[in-house]
Amino acid sequence: MSAFLAPIHTWLFNKIKLAQDLEKDIVNLHIDKFKESAIKIQKEANDIYGQYIEEKPLEDLIDVNNIHGWLQDRIHRAEGRMAAWTKFMIQNDKISALEKVYIDQAKEAASEVTSERAIENAPEIFNCMNDYILDGMPCDHVNQVIESDEDAVKWVRRICVHKELWAEEGVDVDVFYNLRGLWIKEFVKDLNSEFEYRELGQNEFIISKIA
């Protein structure tokens, strides 16, 4: 069965699992505090978007007759559950706790990378970032690099693949982008403290060496 899979499928699957792990961190930190309310949200989210992906190799889970569709569906499920939990946290005035979960996961991800190799320039940082953040399917071509050298990578977000799904949960997509911006900022800093991530406006972003 694995003969049907390409490295990009495993790469995307791992990013979906990371998004799912982020949700699990939120649930584990707050389900005891909110008890019945949190359990209700978890049940509703699972009823709508399905259960977590099982802890099995991709080749044992995926529909090889519809690889693209299977991965697209799992992206939708993972992001839908996250949107539902984000709404719950906002309603309970826990946005700062939510931000901490994103930042802590970014720290862990950066540590995972740097434990294996040094990240020395902007393109390497940008590529590492894209190994973790989930922006739809690769064929969506969400981000387009417009400038790149050793000291800086600048890119634009061509399209938004998140707005509709977050709107279904009644959450402004800017909430998602703000949370992910915190994740990227921390991730870049921890990968190489000589670089920083900045949002330039007009859907334009940069990872650059600190002057």
Side-chain angles (χ1 to χ4, degrees), residues 18 21-22 25 100-110 183:
L18 188 77
D21 289 345
L22 189 64
D25 288 343
K100 185 177 185 302
V101 173
Y102 275 77
I103 290 170
D104 286 348
Q105 193 200 56
K107 289 177 179 289
E108 183 179 343
W183 192 101

Side-chain angles (χ1 to χ4, degrees), residues 79 160 162-164 166-167 171-178:
E79 192 162 352
C160 174
H162 307 282
K163 184 175 181 178
E164 183 177 339
W166 283 73
V171 182
D172 191 314
V173 73
D174 285 344
V175 173
F176 161 74
Y177 283 124
N178 289 338

Side-chain angles (χ1 to χ4, degrees), residues 1-14 16-17 53-75 77 137-138:
M1 186 178 292
S2 60
F4 291 93
L5 299 176
I8 195 170
H9 299 134
T10 301
W11 175 78
L12 182 57
F13 178 69
N14 289 338
I16 297 169
K17 291 288 293 293
I53 296 172
E54 296 178 75
E55 293 298 326
K56 293 181 180 180
L58 177 58
E59 56 264 29
D60 293 341
L61 297 169
I62 200 165
D63 178 1
V64 295
N65 295 312
N66 186 20
I67 291 173
H68 185 281
W70 190 93
L71 289 167
Q72 182 91 63
D73 178 65
R74 267 46 183 194
I75 290 173
R77 294 184 186 204
M137 299 289 286

Side-chain angles (χ1 to χ4, degrees), residues 26 35 49 58 70 106 121-122 128 145 165 171 173 186-187 197 201:
I26 295 168
K35 298 183 172 61
Y49 300 107
L58 177 58
W70 190 93
N121 57 58
C128 285
V145 174
L165 198 150
V171 182
V173 73
E186 186 66 37
F187 182 71
Y197 163 76

Side-chain angles (χ1 to χ4, degrees), residues 137-149:
M137 299 289 286
C139 57
D140 292 324
H141 301 295
V142 170
N143 298 311
Q144 178 182 354
V145 174
I146 54 176
E147 294 180 20
S148 180
D149 59 34

